[in-house]
C-alpha cells in the first residue's frame, strides 16, 4: 500500500507550516515518520492512502504488522496471445510478492479456446492473474499491474474509451473481480521486452506446456 504523509513542522521559535510528501510505500512512510519524530519538530502526522482513508502512525504500524503473514507488496505481470491458425489463446501471468519477511514469485499459464482476438486474450490473462491472487488470499491492498497491452492498461486506467462490446465485458469482469477482492490497481504499461516473462508463459501455453509454480527468490 502506498500512502502520502501529511505533517506539520514547527521551528524552535514557533513558526509552523504544513507539508505533504509524495506517495511512497507504507513501510517507507513509517520509517521516515519515526525518523522525523526524533527531531521533535514535526507534529500531527497523518497518512493518507489512495482511497483517501486516513491513518495515524499507530494504526498504520498495526496494519503493516497484520499483513506481514499475508501476500503484500505485489506486482503482477500479464500477457495474452491469440493464434489465428488454431483459434486458441495462451494466457500467462507472473506474480511477485512478499510474505513473512520473504520474497516469492508465482507463475501460471493457461490454454483457452473461447476467445476471438489478441486483446481478449490480454484481458483474460489479467483475469487469470486475479484468480490466482484470490487463491493466494490477496485482498484489500494496492497491486501494481504491469503489461505490454496498451489497450488493456489504457482502457482500465480510463485513458482510452472501451468501445468494443466484448472488450467492455472483459473490462467489467476484471473491475468487478478487483472490487470484490478490494484491490486498488496501479497500472503501468511497459514494452514487450520488459514483459518477457509473462509473454513466454503465454507462448508456452500455446505450445501446450502447462506451468504452475511458486518459488522463493
Amino acid at each position: 500500500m502506498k500512502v502520502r504523509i501529511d505533517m506539520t513542522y514547527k521551528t524552535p521559535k514557533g513558526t509552523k507550516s504544513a507539508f505533504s510528501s509524495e506517495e511512497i510505500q507504507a513501510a517507507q512512510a513509517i520509517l521516515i515518520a519515526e525518523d522525523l519524530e526524533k527531531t521533535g519538530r514535526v507534529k500531527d502526522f497523518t497518512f493518507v492512502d489512495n482511497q483517501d482513508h486516513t491513518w495515524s502512525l499507530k494504526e498504520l504500524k498495526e496494519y503493516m504488522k497484520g499483513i506481514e503473514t499475508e501476500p503484500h507488496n505485489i506486482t503482477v505481470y500479464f500477457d495474452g496471445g491469440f493464434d489465428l491458425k488454431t483459434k486458441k489463446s495462451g494466457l500467462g501471468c507472473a506474480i511477485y510478492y512478499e510474505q513473512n519477511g520473504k520474497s516469492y514469485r508465482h507463475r501460471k499459464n493457461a490454454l483457452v479456446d473461447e476467445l476471438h482476438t489478441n486483446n481478449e486474450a490480454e484481458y483474460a490473462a489479467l483475469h487469470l492473474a486475479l484468480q490466482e491472487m484470490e487463491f493466494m488470499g490477496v485482498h484489500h491492498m494496492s497491486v501494481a499491474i504491469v503489461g505490454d497491452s496498451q489497450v488493456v492498461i489504457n482502457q482500465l486506467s480510463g485513458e482510452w474509451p472501451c468501445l468494443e462490446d466484448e472488450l467492455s465485458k472483459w473490462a467489467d469482469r476484471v473491475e468487478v473481480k478487483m472490487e470484490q477482492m478490494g484491490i486498488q490497481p496501479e497500472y503501468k504499461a511497459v514494452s514487450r521486452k520488459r514483459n518477457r516473462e509473462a509473454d513466454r508463459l503465454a507462448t508456452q501455453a500455446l505450445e501446450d506446456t502447462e506451468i504452475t509454480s511458486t518459488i522463493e527468490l
Side-chain angles (χ1 to χ4, degrees):
M1 178 174 69
K2 288 187 176 181
V3 297
R4 181 185 78 241
I5 307 174
D6 290 345
M7 68 194 93
T8 300
Y9 181 84
K10 183 179 180 181
T11 69
K13 292 185 178 182
T15 301
K16 296 181 180 180
S17 185
F19 293 91
S20 292
S21 75
E22 62 183 354
E23 282 195 344
I24 55 177
Q25 292 292 341
Q28 294 175 311
I30 290 171
L31 289 175
I32 290 171
E34 289 178 333
D35 190 60
L36 288 170
E37 261 192 334
K38 295 174 184 177
T39 68
R41 295 179 183 176
V42 179
K43 307 292 183 183
D44 303 324
F45 281 107
T46 302
F47 303 87
V48 185
D49 63 26
N50 55 13
Q51 299 296 305
D52 289 328
H53 179 74
T54 58
W55 308 70
S56 67
L57 179 57
K58 180 180 179 181
E59 289 171 339
L60 190 60
K61 290 172 73 172
E62 288 177 350
Y63 170 78
M64 292 302 293
K65 184 178 180 180
I67 68 169
E68 186 63 26
T69 59
E70 302 176 358
H72 58 280
N73 288 346
I74 301 167
T75 299
V76 173
Y77 294 84
F78 72 95
D79 198 26
F82 178 70
D83 190 320
L84 284 170
K85 292 181 179 179
T86 63
K87 304 299 182 183
K88 293 186 177 182
S89 298
L91 318 179
C93 64
I95 304 168
Y96 289 80
Y97 63 99
E98 295 177 13
Q99 188 171 12
N100 294 319
K102 298 179 181 179
S103 298
Y104 297 91
R105 181 194 67 190
H106 176 75
R107 298 193 302 162
K108 176 71 176 179
N109 68 358
L111 180 66
V112 296
D113 57 11
E114 66 267 23
L115 307 177
H116 304 94
T117 67
N118 195 75
N119 285 332
E120 284 183 65
E122 294 277 11
Y123 266 109
L126 177 52
H127 193 265
L128 174 68
L130 292 173
Q131 290 178 313
E132 291 301 299
M133 285 191 286
E134 188 173 37
F135 296 149
M136 291 160 54
V138 175
H139 64 94
H140 296 93
M141 63 180 58
S142 298
V143 174
I145 296 176
V146 184
D148 58 49
S149 171
Q150 294 284 339
V151 170
V152 172
I153 296 294
N154 286 312
Q155 285 182 348
L156 289 176
S157 64
E159 295 294 323
W160 292 1
C162 192
L163 302 177
E164 298 177 43
D165 287 344
E166 285 304 316
L167 296 189
S168 182
K169 291 177 183 177
W170 271 109
D172 289 344
R173 195 175 303 169
V174 166
E175 289 175 343
V176 166
K177 176 62 71 176
M178 288 185 182
E179 186 175 352
Q180 290 172 343
M181 296 170 65
I183 287 176
Q184 298 97 47
E186 298 175 2
Y187 296 108
K188 183 178 181 180
V190 297
S191 66
R192 187 171 184 178
K193 183 178 180 180
R194 293 184 62 189
N195 199 36
R196 187 177 298 166
E197 185 175 25
D199 175 69
R200 178 57 181 158
L201 286 165
T203 299
Q204 288 173 310
L206 285 171
E207 295 169 348
D208 209 19
T209 300
E210 182 179 349
I211 295 173
T212 302
S213 68
T214 302
I215 63 169
E216 182 181 343
L217 301 176

